[in-house]
Amino acid sequence: MRNPVSIRCIWLTSISLCLFLYSFAQGDPSASEPAEPGLSLIPLYTSNDTVLVTTTISLRKGREWLHLQNAVISFSVSDGKNIVRKIGEGSSDSAGTVTLAIPLYPPLPQDAQGMIRYVADFAGAAGYAPVSESFSSKPAWLKVSFYEEDSIRYIRITGTQHSRDNKMAPIPGETVNLFVPSLFRPLPIGEISLDDQGTGTMEFPSSLIGDSLGNITVIARIDEHELFGFVTGQAQINWAIPKHLLAQEKPTRELWTPVAPIWMIITLLIMLTGVWAHYIYAIVQLVRIKTSKKEEKLPETDWSKYS
Amino acid sequence: MANVSQSSLLREFAPQIERTSIVQTLWILLLVGIIGLGFYALYIQISQGHIVTGMRDNVVWGIYIVNFIFFMGISYAGALISGTLHLFRAEWRKPIIRIAEFMTIIALLIGPCYILLCIGRLDRLYYLVIHGRIQSPITWDVIAISTDIFGCLIFLYLAILRDIAAIRDFQSLRIPSWKRKLYSFLALGYTGTPEQQKRLHKATDIMAAMVIAIAVIVYSVLAWIFSVTLQPGWHSTIFGPYFVIAAVFSGCGVMIVVMWLFRKIYHLEKFITRKHFVNVGVLMLILSALFGYFTFSDYLTKWYGSEKNDELLIRLLFDEYYWLFILSNYIGVLMPMIVVGIPKLRTISNITISAIVVILALWVNRYLIVVPTLESPYLPIQDARPAWVFYNATWVEWALTAAGIAFFALLMTIGSKFIPIVNVSEMEDKPVPEEELLA
């Protein structure tokens, strides 16, 4: 205990650091047992007679989900007990996702209610347990079309379902959500209830902004339906306002405009001028200190007399 | 101490300027090694991208920004201590003011480097100048920090000018001729004539006031980068003064630790006494009370308001970050109060220990301001994977953090070998008469 201060400092620093690092430390899952990944499965019926089957394989580690890459996922259709048809296979990407586009012709096997039971299987790998996921839905389509009547423009949605006997039937009474693409996620523009003929209409919103030619894509979606699952359809039309025709408003000075508000510029200029004026004053004093020496030529301090 | 002559003081500090002991050489090599590791980590980050860090789409800021705020805080504390004590002619400041001046500029040079580490496309850095918008807090920060660096450099130069001139004239100092020429060049021909003294006095006074003002502005701007956003935990009107208080608080902690280290290394026991530790400790105590008050006020209003996202954030702080929250806002606040507040505990070692705790607590405080908020995203970003939402710093970030601390220590060491760490010129100055001070 020759230097108690140092020892106390070292002790306290060590304890604090341990506490600090412990707080950041993550628990390590047991390495002896195979990890059990999770699998999600979404079949999405599209308007071009295909179903996009998407699965994501991931593993929970602490509070995070890690997506497994290069996991081989096989897709099939089952009758609830046995696999009745294999429909494809793929390896997961860096996001743990595999997507297969499967044509619906020739038709996939359906059960008595016309449902198709999709199954995604991961057979397991070193350190990972096998996992399987299934999703049942009835094939359906949404067709988006446009028409004009009495100078009013409309969007028409036609919903069709595919029965087991290969017959097409309308989707009556369902609600379809309409979107247009936007920066983060599709922008909702309205919803349409389908009539007994599986058809519904809505006036085309006149305020939508398209590309430079006025082209815009309208997307119709049914999500998480108990019978049809996920269904989408889309079509493009040039009825939107072309970007270049947007009225150029008089430039304003706002927070979000390219030119800053006047008060902000004035405040900044006052502050910078005030500060730099003082800096320049200090620099001028330094320059004068240097020049005054040349004028005075004072003898150097003789420190030897102090030694 | 008031009768100590300049020459005897210079003779006392001559060894620290003339020679570098083996221990000091090893210390410098260790610091260079840590900095080298930091450069390797930087190479990895530049060559492989920010994927090697823990920062992702949601948590776009990690410990780099924490280090930035922390070093800027140290700088501000140095500016406030050196500027204020200079303006008020506090006699006790003289042995420690140089440390504060060094801290100011060194921390100010290191802090902004961490902002550069956050930038994914450094090749587009000049866009800040070309496409900078005055409305952007980032632009305010760039302007404020560059102005602050310039001002602090002038202030430091003014503060060391007399010592440089004294070393230049101290013939018995055994230093290489290039170093003597450098001192001669930097001394600007200062010989201490009445006119030179007057000009230096005026310039130093003005710059002392300016560094205080600029530091307040810089740190407020830094706080506004957070508070002008609508993020839970950040959108607060008291963030400006809160950041300023936290900065001086943490800076006082660093000041005490640096004082303790230099006192031990250069045997400055007769210059840096218990009185200096107690005085800076009392300042730390006052700031701990203010910091505690601001913290309590901020969280109380958020908790009482029961706004959904604020509630989520507070729950996250008291759940995932419980121990860090306790260290930051309870231990860090109470320890200096107890140690400095109770006279019996007010020893150099105890004050230094509480300063270490304060430093750790305030670093964690900045971490808790930055990371948990970003882990509570507002925007419904598509495909927001949990791995993108939560943040864990990687070795690359820790290596660069260690490199920054090592660089700070290295520059303080080199600085102390260039100019005496105790302000030699001021030590023999007589107190300025009150009428002159008021004039």
Side-chain angles (χ1 to χ4, degrees):
Chain A
M1 296 291 285
R2 279 167 55 193
N3 195 342
V5 179
S6 312
I7 292 169
R8 262 191 274 180
C9 278
I10 290 165
W11 266 109
L12 194 97
T13 311
S14 308
I15 291 166
S16 303
L17 275 174
C18 286
L19 181 69
F20 181 64
L21 293 172
Y22 174 77
S23 304
F24 281 94
Q26 276 190 303
D28 197 23
S30 172
S32 57
E33 291 180 12
E36 293 183 6
L39 207 60
S40 68
L41 177 65
I42 295 177
L44 173 69
Y45 297 103
T46 66
S47 51
N48 53 354
D49 294 340
T50 56
V51 55
L52 287 177
V53 187
T54 304
T55 188
T56 302
I57 183 164
S58 48
L59 181 70
R60 189 168 179 86
K61 187 179 180 186
R63 56 181 184 171
E64 292 186 25
W65 281 95
L66 301 176
H67 299 294
L68 301 184
Q69 195 173 358
N70 296 326
V72 179
I73 311 286
S74 56
F75 297 93
S76 56
V77 174
S78 106
D79 59 4
K81 291 176 185 172
N82 303 308
I83 291 172
V84 290
R85 188 187 298 178
K86 288 194 172 181
I87 54 176
E89 192 176 87
S91 293
S92 58
D93 59 15
S94 58
T97 301
V98 186
T99 301
L100 285 187
I102 301 157
L104 283 168
Y105 290 100
L108 293 171
Q110 291 171 277
D111 64 13
Q113 286 77 41
M115 306 284 276
I116 301 175
R117 186 181 174 86
Y118 299 92
V119 178
D121 271 311
F122 171 61
Y128 297 99
V131 63
S132 179
E133 181 66 14
S134 65
F135 192 99
S136 296
S137 61
K138 191 174 185 182
W141 289 268
L142 288 175
K143 186 185 170 194
V144 181
S145 57
F146 307 92
Y147 69 98
E148 194 169 344
E149 198 173 273
D150 298 333
S151 303
I152 299 174
R153 290 165 165 177
Y154 294 95
I155 304 169
R156 180 194 285 130
I157 304 296
T158 309
T160 317
Q161 55 183 308
H162 189 253
S163 302
R164 195 183 179 201
D165 52 5
N166 258 349
K167 285 185 179 169
M168 307 299 280
I171 303 175
E174 296 302 336
T175 302
V176 180
N177 294 304
L178 296 184
F179 304 87
V180 290
S182 69
L183 189 59
F184 287 112
R185 48 175 63 215
L187 174 73
I189 57 168
E191 57 180 40
I192 294 176
S193 290
L194 303 182
D195 60 16
D196 292 343
Q197 305 304 312
T199 302
T201 60
M202 188 186 99
E203 194 175 332
F204 187 88
S206 57
S207 58
L208 292 178
I209 299 163
D211 63 11
S212 58
L213 299 172
N215 292 319
I216 195 161
T217 301
V218 175
I219 303 163
R221 283 189 73 107
I222 295 175
D223 288 316
E224 298 183 48
H225 190 273
E226 56 182 6
L227 190 62
F228 306 112
F230 299 84
V231 190
T232 187
Q234 62 183 54
Q236 198 183 61
I237 191 80
N238 61 351
W239 287 353
I241 303 167
K243 255 184 193 162
H244 70 275
L245 286 184
L246 285 174
Q248 290 290 326
E249 289 177 8
K250 188 184 170 187
T252 55
R253 291 173 174 273
E254 306 288 352
L255 187 62
W256 50 88
T257 52
V259 191
I262 290 286
W263 71 263
M264 198 174 259
I265 295 172
I266 291 173
T267 309
L268 186 71
L269 284 178
I270 289 172
M271 289 174 78
L272 283 178
T273 309
V275 171
W276 281 92
H278 286 87
Y279 287 5
I280 291 166
Y281 176 82
I283 293 167
V284 168
Q285 295 307 313
L286 281 170
V287 172
R288 287 193 176 164
I289 285 171
K290 190 171 174 62
T291 52
S292 70
K293 179 248 178 182
K294 284 177 186 166
E295 289 162 12
E296 291 180 18
K297 291 279 180 191
L298 284 173
E300 287 191 351
T301 313
D302 182 14
W303 290 108
S304 59
K305 65 183 176 186
Y306 297 106
S307 56
Chain B
M1 233 169 46
N3 296 324
V4 186
S5 75
Q6 200 174 40
S7 63
S8 62
L9 275 172
L10 276 174
R11 199 170 300 115
E12 196 154 347
F13 287 105
Q16 107 186 23
I17 298 171
E18 288 172 337
R19 291 187 294 273
T20 304
S21 67
I22 295 172
V23 176
Q24 285 174 343
T25 309
L26 288 173
W27 167 245
I28 290 170
L29 284 175
L30 173 71
L31 295 176
V32 170
I34 296 170
I35 294 166
L37 178 69
F39 272 106
Y40 174 68
L42 181 62
Y43 164 74
I44 297 282
Q45 181 175 305
I46 290 173
S47 58
Q48 296 181 24
H50 275 62
I51 194 71
V52 298
T53 70
M55 294 183 284
R56 293 293 183 271
D57 284 33
N58 281 20
V59 186
V60 291
W61 281 343
I63 59 171
Y64 289 156
I65 200 86
V66 175
N67 294 332
F68 168 62
I69 303 169
F70 187 73
F71 275 107
M72 294 303 289
I74 295 171
S75 168
Y76 174 53
L80 186 104
I81 292 167
S82 56
T84 312
L85 297 185
H86 176 87
L87 284 179
F88 286 98
R89 309 287 191 267
E91 278 301 303
W92 62 272
R93 81 185 190 278
K94 291 176 178 175
I96 61 167
I97 200 163
R98 179 63 42 78
I99 293 174
E101 289 158 1
F102 275 170
M103 268 172 51
T104 305
I105 193 66
I106 292 171
L108 192 55
L109 292 173
I110 295 171
C113 295
Y114 282 103
I115 283 288
L116 302 181
L117 297 178
C118 290
I119 298 172
R121 293 291 301 267
L122 276 173
D123 54 312
R124 294 179 180 172
L125 190 61
Y126 65 97
Y127 281 19
L128 270 174
V129 180
I130 294 173
H131 303 297
R133 293 171 67 246
I134 294 174
Q135 299 99 311
S136 165
I138 301 292
T139 309
W140 307 343
D141 215 21
V142 171
I143 294 171
I145 289 174
S146 51
T147 308
D148 193 24
I149 289 175
F150 205 80
C152 287
L153 279 172
I154 297 174
F155 181 61
L156 178 69
Y157 188 55
L158 289 167
I160 63 174
L161 183 62
R162 289 203 300 170
D163 275 6
I164 291 175
I167 295 170
R168 174 202 62 195
D169 297 338
F170 191 59
Q171 298 298 328
S172 57
L173 196 67
R174 290 189 295 275
I175 52 171
S177 61
W178 68 265
K179 209 170 177 181
R180 195 172 289 282
K181 280 178 190 167
L182 183 65
Y183 284 122
S184 184
F185 172 74
L186 291 174
L188 291 180
Y190 183 86
T191 51
T193 65
E195 192 199 339
Q196 285 180 328
Q197 281 190 30
K198 190 180 159 194
R199 291 194 183 285
L200 186 62
H201 191 71
K202 271 186 180 177
T204 313
D205 278 0
I206 279 183
M207 287 310 297
M210 288 314 297
V211 291
I212 296 170
I214 287 289
V216 171
I217 293 170
V218 169
Y219 224 65
S220 298
V221 166
L222 183 54
W224 293 335
I225 287 180
F226 295 92
S227 63
V228 295
T229 67
L230 297 176
Q231 291 275 14
W234 291 358
H235 192 54
S236 164
T237 52
I238 65 165
F239 246 41
Y242 180 48
F243 263 52
V244 170
I245 294 293
V248 191
F249 185 28
S250 62
C252 280
V254 175
M255 177 90 191
I256 288 171
V257 173
V258 175
M259 272 162 53
W260 187 87
L261 286 169
F262 275 124
R263 187 172 181 267
K264 285 285 164 195
I265 294 165
Y266 291 134
H267 307 291
L268 304 176
E269 285 81 0
K270 70 175 176 181
F271 298 104
I272 303 175
T273 61
R274 180 174 169 272
K275 182 186 171 187
H276 297 100
F277 283 88
V278 171
N279 285 0
V280 182
V282 168
L283 183 60
M284 192 167 72
L285 181 148
I286 296 166
L287 291 162
S288 72
L290 285 171
F291 175 77
Y293 163 70
F294 272 93
T295 307
F296 184 75
S297 174
D298 195 35
Y299 284 115
L300 176 76
T301 48
K302 284 186 174 70
W303 172 77
Y304 207 90
S306 303
E307 203 274 320
K308 183 189 157 196
N309 291 288
D310 283 339
E311 268 192 348
L312 285 174
L313 178 68
I314 290 170
R315 204 175 302 149
L316 186 67
L317 287 170
F318 277 96
D319 181 17
E320 298 275 338
Y321 295 100
Y322 180 77
W323 285 109
L324 291 180
F325 191 84
I326 294 296
L327 170 67
S328 162
N329 297 312
Y330 286 84
I331 299 172
V333 171
L334 292 176
M335 185 128 178
M337 284 186 178
I338 294 165
V339 169
V340 186
I342 300 171
K344 274 189 179 178
L345 297 176
R346 219 180 276 165
T347 62
I348 291 176
S349 53
N350 284 346
I351 293 172
T352 308
I353 289 167
S354 68
I356 294 170
V357 174
V358 166
I359 293 168
L360 278 174
L362 268 288
W363 191 92
V364 170
N365 173 262
R366 277 65 177 262
Y367 186 88
L368 293 181
I369 288 173
V370 174
V371 174
T373 287
L374 291 171
E375 287 182 345
S376 321
Y378 253 153
L379 268 179
I381 296 175
Q382 286 174 323
D383 191 20
R385 302 171 199 170
W388 293 355
V389 176
F390 299 110
Y391 173 78
N392 283 303
T394 63
W395 76 267
V396 171
E397 289 164 287
W398 288 118
L400 283 162
T401 300
I405 296 166
F407 199 48
F408 179 81
L410 182 66
L411 290 183
M412 287 296 284
T413 309
I414 292 171
S416 71
K417 300 202 76 59
F418 182 72
I419 289 285
I421 201 67
V422 169
N423 195 332
V424 172
S425 310
E426 283 207 9
M427 289 296 283
E428 65 168 7
D429 279 352
K430 300 284 177 290
V432 180
E434 198 177 338
E435 57 273 22
E436 193 182 317
L437 189 68
L438 294 172

